[in-house]
Amino acid sequence: MQKLSIAIAIAAATALLAGASRAAVPAYPDNPDVIWRGDFEGGASSLTGHCNYGDNGWCNEQIVRPQQIQAVSDPDPVFEGHHAVRFEVKYGDVFGSYSDERSIMTPPTQMWEDEGNERWYRWQVMWPQGYVGSYPKWDELGTPSSRSPAGSIVEWHHSNGGVETGSAPLYIRGADKFIEICLVDQKTSACRETINLTELVRGHWHDFVMHAKWSSDPSVGYLEIWIDGVNVLPKHMGSNKYPGMQNYLCIGLYRNVHIGDPNLLYPDGTHVYGTDGTPGVAYVDGFIAGKTKESVLPPDPTPTPGGSTPPTSDGSTTPPSGTAAPSGSPEPTTSNGTPVSTAGVGFPHGGGCSSSGFQSAWLALPLFGLFALRRRRLAA
């Protein structure tokens, strides 16, 4: 009887372990408002070849060596499920006739955005420890304050029948201290606005939700962004695409072609970089796009630490009584230093690594049962 009881407890433990493993993968229900999923759960097979309208997964890669884009799994960083993608870029990673270093992926054609499209997106990014957010500007080496961004991670590019000139309308990137968004002036290809969204925490999965109305009309287009459950960019009116063109999504690292050049010298003759090409690395997980907020959020998401309240039906949240806002978070600002209010809608974090506290608690139960049976046996 005791052996049978132990066998039953072991079977229960096995079942709970299997259940915990399944719980690590978010179960997005079939939702007609989901436009596309690009969550990498197919591993390497999800990274290319999914180019037909309606496909999930990714269509094309822009790389010159296989190490630039790799599907990874535990023990490498993964936000949710079993796979994420690792991007690497270094000096010499110039694809085709393009002029900059890049490790980039693009999705199928349903992700091309027309004038007036309203969309919701969710994804996660982790910049590892040691990530460098900017480098000396190659043509202004005598001015230490002149820096080049280390690379965008998510951008919406522009195309008019395959014709592309100038910079993309919208970049999201990791800088030295903050996660930034750059909204580009089409005439100059420079950022007309650079907005610090939130502090960049290295080694941490940042969970993004973005709501966009795509338009070249500044009185129509807008963006809203949440990071880790905080509304870091309340509804921000402005053009976010170019007239007569479509926007298409790109993810990966994209930076100036001179970064990492081993032959680049300071005015005093010392080398700006080493000889390894100055590799940059970042991880992305969980991309999903839809027509509504509900279509991009998993069901019954895990509450944020500290007992924060999930969004209500209108998207608003009410903090628990006596709960203070997290300390140490920078106040988002525009490029001219104007504070951007973070009051407003919040989203729960959702997801997480495969060893969540919830799973650990359930895994403890069968072990406790085995311990109790062992004590009974000794007492007998």
Side-chain angles (χ1 to χ4, degrees):
M1 180 63 70
Q2 290 171 345
K3 290 182 179 180
L4 178 61
S5 299
I6 292 172
I8 292 171
I10 292 172
T14 303
L16 283 169
L17 279 168
S21 177
R22 286 193 295 273
V25 182
Y28 289 90
D30 291 333
N31 187 321
D33 291 326
V34 171
I35 297 170
W36 170 79
R37 291 184 178 91
D39 57 10
F40 314 108
E41 286 309 291
S45 66
S46 65
L47 302 183
T48 57
H50 307 277
C51 301
N52 295 323
Y53 188 94
D55 283 354
N56 289 315
W58 297 84
C59 177
N60 291 316
E61 293 179 328
Q62 295 181 3
I63 60 174
V64 294
R65 50 189 185 88
Q67 297 83 2
Q68 289 182 255
I69 299 178
Q70 295 182 324
V72 298
S73 56
D74 288 336
D76 289 302
V78 174
F79 178 80
E80 61 183 19
H82 300 291
H83 297 281
V85 65
R86 177 187 184 272
F87 292 99
E88 176 184 294
V89 65
K90 65 181 183 180
Y91 182 71
D93 289 339
V94 179
F95 177 79
S97 61
Y98 293 105
S99 59
D100 285 298
E101 299 165 0
R102 63 184 62 210
S103 299
I104 285 181
M105 295 167 54
T106 55
T109 54
Q110 70 264 33
M111 291 295 290
W112 288 58
E113 307 296 0
D114 294 308
E115 183 79 28
N117 281 3
E118 184 177 350
R119 298 288 185 258
W120 288 82
Y121 310 88
R122 185 181 182 218
W123 72 92
Q124 295 81 38
V125 180
M126 196 272 279
W127 289 272
Q129 299 290 346
Y131 172 79
V132 177
S134 70
Y135 293 97
K137 198 166 185 301
W138 70 277
D139 56 349
E140 298 179 19
L141 294 175
T143 306
S145 60
S146 294
R147 310 285 291 181
S148 290
S152 63
I153 191 69
V154 175
E155 64 183 85
W156 273 266
H157 218 287
H158 59 295
S159 180
N160 182 13
V163 177
E164 303 174 14
T165 57
S167 295
L170 187 160
Y171 295 91
I172 296 174
R173 62 197 181 204
D176 289 320
K177 294 183 179 180
F178 301 103
I179 299 172
E180 300 177 343
I181 184 170
C182 163
L183 294 167
V184 175
D185 183 303
Q186 185 181 11
K187 293 180 180 179
T188 64
S189 289
C191 299
R192 72 170 194 269
E193 285 185 281
T194 301
I195 302 172
N196 294 331
L197 297 174
T198 192
E199 182 180 3
L200 189 155
V201 181
R202 289 161 175 80
H204 163 75
W205 278 107
H206 289 283
D207 190 7
F208 291 75
V209 172
M210 189 176 95
H211 181 205
K213 180 70 172 279
W214 297 109
S215 180
S216 57
D217 184 339
S219 67
V220 175
Y222 62 80
L223 297 170
E224 297 178 279
I225 297 176
W226 293 258
I227 298 178
D228 295 336
V230 177
N231 184 203
V232 296
L233 186 67
K235 192 173 184 178
H236 186 77
M237 301 299 299
S239 62
N240 47 36
K241 64 185 295 295
Y242 299 149
M245 298 190 186
Q246 290 181 302
N247 275 2
Y248 65 92
L249 171 67
C250 299
I251 70 167
L253 290 170
Y254 173 91
R255 69 185 194 184
N256 186 278
V257 69
H258 296 279
I259 293 175
D261 184 349
N263 299 312
L264 198 60
L265 305 177
Y266 282 112
D268 64 1
T270 59
H271 285 269
V272 177
Y273 303 104
T275 59
D276 63 351
T278 314
V281 172
Y283 296 81
V284 177
D285 202 355
F287 240 106
I288 186 170
K291 299 176 184 178
T292 64
K293 173 193 69 179
E294 292 77 14
S295 66
V296 302
L297 295 178
D300 300 322
T302 305
T304 51
S308 57
T309 305
T312 61
S313 58
D314 64 356
S316 64
T317 58
T318 304
S321 176
T323 301
S327 61
S329 297
E331 186 176 31
T333 60
T334 63
S335 55
N336 63 8
T338 304
V340 175
S341 171
T342 58
V345 182
F347 284 86
H349 287 283
C353 295
S354 56
S355 357
S356 69
F358 173 81
Q359 292 166 17
S360 298
W362 277 102
L363 290 175
L365 291 178
L367 296 177
F368 179 80
L370 285 172
F371 178 72
L373 285 169
R374 173 68 174 163
R375 286 183 58 107
R376 258 180 90 187
R377 187 164 133 196
L378 290 173

